[in-house]
């Protein structure tokens, strides 16, 4: 059984570090994939981030391929309480994004990641705070998920 989740990931930290992550995460697609995906680049390439930082896949599922498993978007870098922040949107199938962000957060130790995820199959809503290889996550109660779904 497969499941699809939409994630919104906020990455916050010193401006130069956020800009480095943004540059590292962007991947230009080869022309053959550009035609298929109708996009010139992937805004948040987990595939590229894992390769660039020489990290092993955190699970037996491997790492999502840029062209086949998800689409991404990015908002412009913004100031946030004296720090810089960039927000990414990511839809992925059969992956828990916080499990992918946890090892990445070791490579970007000056940044914190907040992943907000909604399951498009069950409506379950989860949030995770990830920094320096550690993750804390919260799952909203079914009643709260239903309230948000009605809003």
């Amino acid at each position: 059984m497969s499941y699809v989740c939409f994630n919104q990931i906020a990455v916050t930290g010193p401006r130069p570090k956020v800009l480095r992550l943004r540059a590292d995460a962007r991947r230009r697609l080869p022309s053959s994939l550009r035609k298929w995906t109708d996009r010139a680049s992937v805004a948040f390439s987990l595939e590229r981030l894992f390769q660039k930082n020489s990290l092993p896949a955190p699970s037996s599922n491997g790492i999502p391929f840029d062209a086949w498993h998800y689409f991404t978007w990015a908002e412009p870098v913004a100031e946030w309480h004296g720090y810089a922040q960039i927000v990414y949107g990511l839809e992925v199938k059969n992956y828990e994004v916080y499990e992918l962000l946890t090892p990445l957060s070791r490579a970007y130790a000056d940044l914190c990641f907040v992943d907000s995820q909604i399951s498009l199959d069950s409506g379950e809503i989860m949030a995770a705070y990830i920094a320096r290889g550690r993750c804390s996550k919260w799952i909203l109660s079914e009643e709260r998920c239903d309230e948000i779904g009605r809003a």
Side-chain angles (χ1 to χ4, degrees):
M1 183 172 136
S2 68
Y3 59 94
V4 178
C5 292
F6 176 77
N7 293 261
Q8 185 166 322
I9 303 163
V11 183
T12 307
R15 186 173 187 78
K17 304 291 184 173
V18 171
L19 293 175
R20 178 181 156 231
L21 175 82
R22 182 180 69 173
D24 290 352
R26 183 172 301 245
R27 177 178 175 215
R28 294 186 53 77
L29 292 175
S31 60
S32 60
L33 291 178
R34 275 186 231 165
K35 291 177 187 174
W36 186 81
T37 62
D38 207 24
R39 295 174 187 249
S41 66
V42 174
F44 191 75
S45 169
L46 288 164
E47 188 177 4
R48 178 171 160 80
L49 287 168
F50 271 80
Q51 289 170 354
K52 184 165 188 61
N53 292 289
S54 301
L55 296 170
S59 74
S60 60
N61 287 344
I63 301 162
F65 296 110
D66 290 336
W68 309 109
H69 291 277
Y70 61 85
F71 72 89
T72 66
W73 53 262
E75 292 183 2
V77 175
E79 296 304 315
W80 190 80
H81 298 280
Y83 291 95
Q85 182 178 74
I86 189 166
V87 176
Y88 292 100
L90 169 75
E91 184 176 305
V92 67
K93 181 178 177 181
N94 296 335
Y95 287 92
E96 294 284 356
V97 171
Y98 73 90
E99 291 176 352
L100 299 166
L101 294 174
T102 301
L104 276 175
S105 70
R106 285 187 207 101
Y108 298 93
D110 293 329
L111 302 177
C112 66
F113 300 77
V114 176
D115 177 28
S116 305
Q117 171 182 292
I118 183 166
S119 168
L120 300 180
D121 300 318
S122 68
E124 180 181 84
I125 299 172
M126 185 274 306
Y129 172 81
I130 303 117
R132 295 187 174 113
R134 295 179 173 241
C135 175
S136 297
K137 70 176 191 162
W138 302 267
I139 298 174
L140 287 172
S141 68
E142 191 172 326
E143 296 82 34
R144 293 289 292 153
C145 292
D146 290 344
E147 288 174 22
I148 291 170
R150 286 191 296 270

